[in-house]
Amino acid sequence: MKKKDKNDKESATLTTAGGAPVSDNQNSLTAGERGPILIQDVHLLEKLAHFNRERIPERVVHAKGAGAHGTFTVTNDITKYTKAKIFSEVGKKTDLIVRYSTVAGERGSADTVRDVRGFAVKFYTEEGNWDLVGNNTPVFFVRDPLKFSDFIHTQKREPHTNLRSQTMWWDFWSLVPESLHQVTILFSDRGIPRGFTHMNGYGSHTYSFINAKDERFWVKFHFKTMQGIKNFTQEEADELVGKDPDWATRDLFERIEKGDYPKWELNVQIMPELEAETYQWNPFDLTKVWPHKDYPLIKVGIMELNRNPSNYFTDVEQAAFDPSNIIPGISYSPDKMLQARIFSYADAHRYRLGANYQRLPINQAKAAKVNTYQRDGFMRFDDNGGSSVIYEPNSFGGPKQNPAYKEPPLKISGNADRYNQPTVDDDFIQPGNLYRLLPPDEQDRLIKNMGGSLKTVPKFIQERMLAHILKADSTWGQRIRKELG
Ligand code: NDP
């Protein structure tokens, strides 16, 4: 709560939501001094009824989060890859809102748990909102959206005990070997970042850039923390879960409040369109990275967070990030997980916030003009288009399509079918590379963290998981086996 200072005005008269002055906010209206309450105490009824409706559905994933406003500044010219106006000149600034989150826990859950962190950014560009809805990891547990809700169920609560279950986690992961890469990151030091400011953010999916000559490039986005990577050990994190479950939320707020603005350097990896056909990895597989030696990072700009929300509910809880929000010069890719998120994020917001969620102040395009023929619906609280024409084509000057924004065609080939990767062995190479790049002390902690969790689950699941780890790196597998006794 902000303290009252000498410039604050005298308190205004309290009113009902309808604006009528309230004469008494302490004593209900009763029939006689000791009598029951009269139904005509509208102020009381309104208070009780509104209170009952204060909560909106929490996000089914990423429910616990914190956010801040900020600015993106271009530092390097990437106009040869994209015509997106946000990148049109060095020095250009764009306002944004960021929301960080854990994935599995409910809205009141602790910040310092071992979990992936959400890293969602909404850029208010002059050509509409661009949302880069990523995580603090460059990969994900599954590469096909048919598995998404099953995976998330394993992270939630069991139906009978209402408890979280490590058996569900490892059962699923051991049956879905493509998850090993993300599982390795999860049980490494980066599985418990030291708050939100000491972690990287990754767009994770492959997106596309389109330049002024209509050439397409595949692109991966990387936000590198300028505060340096720092993580909690399991022991430090466990202690904070009890002492200060909101540690990361508090840390972000307090840093910004005292002017210690956190910053990230945005980088991209760029792949020319046709290279996707011959590259050794399927560049649209969300369980794989593009090694830096093949696609080095190219600097783009700096994101700085410099303003706390003035109201958490309006600025963060109502913020709706959609990978479907793209702008000219930035587009999608054939990544199956991205294709599903394009639908499911907007769909989740329609359920959570209603059909007009993009008109809420935090979600409104600020620098761009919105011209749609969408009208009406619950909570349409702007002018609803006034008396302007409500259909298209029309003869009355309504907004029209503009073919200048058409994307170049994307070549697609093959038979319609349900495909997995050509060989599952591919799924073990990158987790093995990651294990081998960890310094020895981090390898020790990975083994302790993974082994400690695996120990709690039935033996047949341990054995199935061990077989995958042995394929990724035999020393790593043998060390896990030893840890399991
Ligand atoms: P590179 O040597 O080119 O890249 C290694 C990258 O690994 C680093 O740039 C860093 O990414 C990341 N990394 C470094 N230390 C850790 C750590 N303790 N925990 C997790 N990640 C770490 O090799 P590759 O590109 O071939 O990648 C090797 C492995 O590194 C991959 O299998 C992947 O698991 C992991 N990695 C790769 C990334 C990529 O985009 N290529 C990104 C992140 C992880 P960063 O600079 O982003 O911190």
Side-chain angles (χ1 to χ4, degrees), residues 181 190 200 202 222 224 290-292 430 434 437-438 442:
H181 198 178
R190 293 193 187 188
N200 292 342
Y202 303 88
H222 300 245
K224 295 264 215 171
W290 299 355
H292 292 142
Q430 292 200 352
L434 176 58
L437 78 72
L438 298 179
E442 208 178 324

Side-chain angles (χ1 to χ4, degrees), residues 341-402:
R341 291 179 78 210
I342 291 167
F343 158 71
S344 71
Y345 276 57
D347 185 56
H349 299 314
R350 287 181 198 112
Y351 162 69
R352 204 169 65 83
L353 300 164
N356 288 310
Y357 73 95
Q358 305 232 51
R359 294 179 189 274
L360 287 165
I362 196 67
N363 300 325
Q364 263 168 27
K366 296 192 195 315
K369 180 120 181 63
V370 175
N371 293 316
T372 78
Y373 289 95
Q374 294 168 9
R375 296 290 185 275
D376 309 350
F378 281 116
M379 302 304 288
R380 185 70 197 238
F381 46 79
D382 61 359
D383 73 349
N384 195 26
S387 59
S388 61
V389 58
I390 55 172
Y391 59 90
E392 203 279 337
N394 63 70
S395 317
F396 302 100
K400 285 192 183 136
Q401 66 204 30
N402 182 345

